[in-house]
Amino acid sequence: MIIPWVNPLSVALAAVCGLAILRTILSARALLYHMGRWWRWVDERVQAYQYFEIPRYNESSQENPLHRKAAAYVASLPSLEDADAATLCSSGRKPNDFILHLRPGQSARDSFLGARLSWSNRTPGGGCLVLRVRRQDRTRVLRPYLQHVESVADEIEFRRREVRLFTNSGSGDSGEGPRWRWVPFTHPSTLDTVAIDPDLKTRLRADLEAFLKGRLYYHRLGRFWRRSYLLYGPPGTGKSTFVAAMAKFLCYDIYDVDLSRLATDGADLRSLLLQTTPRSVILVEDLDRYLSGNEGESSSARLTGMLSFMDGVFSSCGEERVMVFTMSGGEGGMEWLDPAVLRPGRLDVHIHFPLCDFSAFKTLASSYLGLKDHKLYPQVEEGFQNGARLSPAEVGEIMIANRVSPSRAIKSVIDALQQSTNGGGGRKLSESWSTEGGGGGLGFGRDSMTLREFRKLYGLIKMKCGSKREGVMPVEVAAAAAAAGTLLDKDYSN
């Protein structure tokens, strides 16, 4: 019997081809992808297209703004992630902020108003972008699509820009008018980390989102595109932190108006407002203190100037602004204010920031300690239900001081709640550090003994109570008693 000779190279080649065919058949996604590419190839040959080049520079060697916006828009297209090849870059402004760019010869698909469009890059470095539109769709979609591209690109650029914090320097008495100085705003607070009622947070988020999208709605109503908020509550309840989170959510600059540097006639306020830019948060803190004034005439002048600043003719000289006013008084602290200050139009939304409750405590514990639940939570809840009052700032400081030991932090909060319930609130934190274990937190004052100190004192008393020297307190006992802050009126004699 003769066995035919088989070429090993042919066998290996056939095996590789068979595996490739099998893999393609088994991989439905790859099969669909290749079928889609084949269909697009056929469609491109039977359709009539028109091409629009968007160069990076014009004839005068100046940058073409449309090219910059088109490049930002194309980088946001989901189809760019499916492209055969793309250039990946980092923005350098934020961590994990990456940007995709088309490579030369590659294309990205898009759709608008039922029309299919595509973008391609013909030159290295993105020097020229090409938009392809079917001729039958050109008249219908070209201009609306380019407007859509510019609108989306403006929003992308705005979201990526650096948020700034402005403050006024000097007054307008010098004739030059007040000037704003700014620094980068890097506050890490967000709406997710703000410790307020979850339902209230949801409503506020929806209100801010509606404002962002409300230009046409406000104009249709004949109203100025502006929103104003009043934040009131005791100190340390998170009003300033919420303003920071609001600005971060809106991506608006903050103009922090320093009222102490302004005259009382309102002219400086109006001048400051004219020098602000759209898409900004105008922050006026301690409104109640400013309006109270020191003298009757000063108080009246301040009220008139503030009313004009809040809702006068000058306040309509710029759109897309959010005005935020804060007050340190509680719900009853607004009774003395003129009703004209609180009316809608000047203060549209009133938000009360109360002292910390159990719900806010859990939010703080999640942010500061990374806890979702703890066996001591029932005791904390009981403390709040018993009428204990602590501000979120106090609770946050306790958690920061005890962040290495979440259990100790919660115990310190419980002790602080007990002190507040027993009328011991309001003590300075520096006077309330725990003396055991080097830890921090409210709960053990200088006038109280820890368990370790009590045991030490009891042991010394037991050891020295047999002293033969009548009427003399042992030195160790006296020192321990002095350290514990106690008086022992006892005769240490046999």
Side-chain angles (χ1 to χ4, degrees), residues 288-310:
D288 47 348
R289 294 184 182 181
Y290 176 77
L291 293 180
S292 63
N294 298 322
E295 302 175 359
E297 296 181 359
S298 176
S299 176
S300 176
R302 291 183 177 189
L303 175 61
T304 303
M306 183 57 68
L307 292 179
S308 177
F309 172 76
M310 297 170 73

Side-chain angles (χ1 to χ4, degrees), residues 148-438:
H148 168 70
V149 168
E150 288 190 331
S151 176
V152 173
D154 288 340
E155 185 66 22
I156 293 173
E157 292 179 354
F158 177 70
R159 290 288 178 181
R160 287 177 175 169
R161 76 183 184 93
E162 183 181 47
V163 179
R164 298 171 294 177
L165 173 63
F166 291 81
T167 184
N168 55 299
S169 57
S171 64
D173 297 336
S174 62
E176 298 180 358
R179 293 188 295 267
W180 292 103
R181 296 180 178 179
W182 67 273
V183 295
F185 185 67
T186 57
H187 200 290
S189 178
T190 64
L191 288 181
D192 294 330
T193 60
V194 172
I196 60 176
D197 180 73
D199 294 336
L200 176 61
K201 185 187 299 186
T202 301
R203 294 198 300 270
L204 288 172
R205 188 191 297 270
D207 188 74
L208 293 173
E209 289 177 346
F211 172 78
L212 283 174
K213 305 174 183 177
R215 179 195 291 269
L216 297 179
Y217 178 75
Y218 275 77
H219 287 182
R220 182 169 62 84
L221 296 177
R223 295 192 56 172
F224 200 65
W225 190 21
R226 188 189 61 206
R227 194 74 167 153
S228 57
Y229 297 83
L230 173 63
L231 316 181
Y232 63 98
T237 51
K239 299 184 292 294
S240 298
T241 302
F242 178 77
V243 175
M246 176 189 294
K248 294 289 287 294
F249 178 78
L250 296 171
C251 287
Y252 280 14
D253 292 329
I254 297 182
Y255 286 84
D256 186 6
V257 181
D258 187 353
L259 297 174
S260 64
R261 298 182 177 181
L262 304 179
T264 59
D265 59 358
D268 284 350
L269 278 172
R270 294 193 294 270
S271 178
L272 280 175
L273 186 60
L274 290 175
Q275 297 180 25
T276 61
T277 59
R279 293 185 173 183
S280 58
V281 175
I282 314 298
L283 174 61
V284 179
E285 296 191 278
D286 297 323
L287 177 64
D288 47 348
R289 294 184 182 181
Y290 176 77
L291 293 180
S292 63
N294 298 322
E295 302 175 359
E297 296 181 359
S298 176
S299 176
S300 176
R302 291 183 177 189
L303 175 61
T304 303
M306 183 57 68
L307 292 179
S308 177
F309 172 76
M310 297 170 73
D311 191 31
V313 175
F314 282 91
S315 67
S316 301
C317 296
E319 280 199 312
E320 202 169 359
R321 288 170 172 84
V322 173
M323 305 186 73
V324 181
F325 301 84
T326 70
M327 288 175 42
S328 58
E331 295 182 1
M334 297 191 297
E335 296 178 354
W336 63 272
L337 285 177
D338 192 304
V341 176
L342 302 176
R343 72 163 176 83
R346 290 197 172 104
L347 293 174
D348 302 317
V349 182
H350 299 186
I351 307 173
H352 180 224
F353 283 75
L355 292 172
C356 191
D357 57 9
F358 182 63
S359 176
F361 164 82
K362 290 192 295 183
T363 302
L364 291 171
S366 176
S367 299
Y368 284 79
L369 305 175
L371 293 178
K372 299 300 181 181
D373 197 4
H374 195 275
K375 62 181 180 181
L376 294 177
Y377 272 16
Q379 297 184 39
V380 178
E381 185 175 12
E382 182 181 358
F384 284 114
Q385 292 176 351
N386 290 337
R389 292 292 182 267
L390 290 176
S391 69
E394 291 175 316
V395 176
E397 184 59 32
I398 293 173
M399 293 179 176
I400 290 176
N402 297 276
R403 58 186 179 273
V404 296
S405 176
S407 297
R408 187 172 62 197
I410 298 178
K411 290 179 182 178
S412 299
V413 172
I414 294 173
D415 292 332
L417 292 173
Q418 292 175 352
Q419 290 182 9
S420 175
T421 304
N422 296 331
R427 299 168 58 187
K428 295 181 180 179
L429 185 64
S430 59
E431 299 177 356
S432 306
W433 291 106
S434 172
T435 58
E436 181 178 2

Side-chain angles (χ1 to χ4, degrees), residues 29-223:
R29 182 174 297 180
L31 182 61
L32 293 175
Y33 172 77
H34 289 296
M35 290 180 62
R37 289 193 61 179
W38 176 80
W39 174 256
R40 287 192 298 272
W41 183 85
V42 174
D43 183 67
E44 289 175 359
R45 268 60 184 174
V46 299
Q47 294 286 348
Y49 290 96
Q50 187 163 356
Y51 297 84
F52 298 89
E53 293 187 353
I54 305 177
R56 187 170 185 175
Y57 301 99
N58 56 22
E59 294 82 358
S60 302
S61 299
Q62 297 178 342
E63 184 182 14
N64 182 5
L66 180 59
H67 180 276
R68 185 186 73 253
K69 295 181 179 182
Y73 176 81
V74 173
S76 68
L77 289 177
S79 61
L80 186 58
E81 299 181 2
D82 297 331
D84 293 337
T87 302
L88 183 62
C89 302
S90 175
S91 66
R93 299 172 182 172
K94 300 178 182 178
N96 299 324
D97 186 14
F98 304 107
I99 303 174
L100 287 172
H101 296 287
L102 278 176
R103 290 189 59 185
Q106 301 299 323
S107 62
R109 302 180 306 278
D110 195 13
S111 61
F112 183 76
L113 298 179
R116 290 178 294 178
L117 309 97
S118 70
W119 292 89
S120 60
N121 178 16
R122 287 187 177 178
T123 58
C128 181
L129 293 175
V130 179
L131 172 63
R132 190 186 67 179
V133 188
R134 289 191 300 182
R135 286 187 173 274
Q136 63 209 49
D137 298 326
R138 178 193 56 187
T139 306
R140 180 174 63 91
V141 303
L142 180 59
R143 290 188 177 275
Y145 180 68
L146 292 178
Q147 294 175 358
H148 168 70
V149 168
E150 288 190 331
S151 176
V152 173
D154 288 340
E155 185 66 22
I156 293 173
E157 292 179 354
F158 177 70
R159 290 288 178 181
R160 287 177 175 169
R161 76 183 184 93
E162 183 181 47
V163 179
R164 298 171 294 177
L165 173 63
F166 291 81
T167 184
N168 55 299
S169 57
S171 64
D173 297 336
S174 62
E176 298 180 358
R179 293 188 295 267
W180 292 103
R181 296 180 178 179
W182 67 273
V183 295
F185 185 67
T186 57
H187 200 290
S189 178
T190 64
L191 288 181
D192 294 330
T193 60
V194 172
I196 60 176
D197 180 73
D199 294 336
L200 176 61
K201 185 187 299 186
T202 301
R203 294 198 300 270
L204 288 172
R205 188 191 297 270
D207 188 74
L208 293 173
E209 289 177 346
F211 172 78
L212 283 174
K213 305 174 183 177
R215 179 195 291 269
L216 297 179
Y217 178 75
Y218 275 77
H219 287 182
R220 182 169 62 84
L221 296 177
R223 295 192 56 172

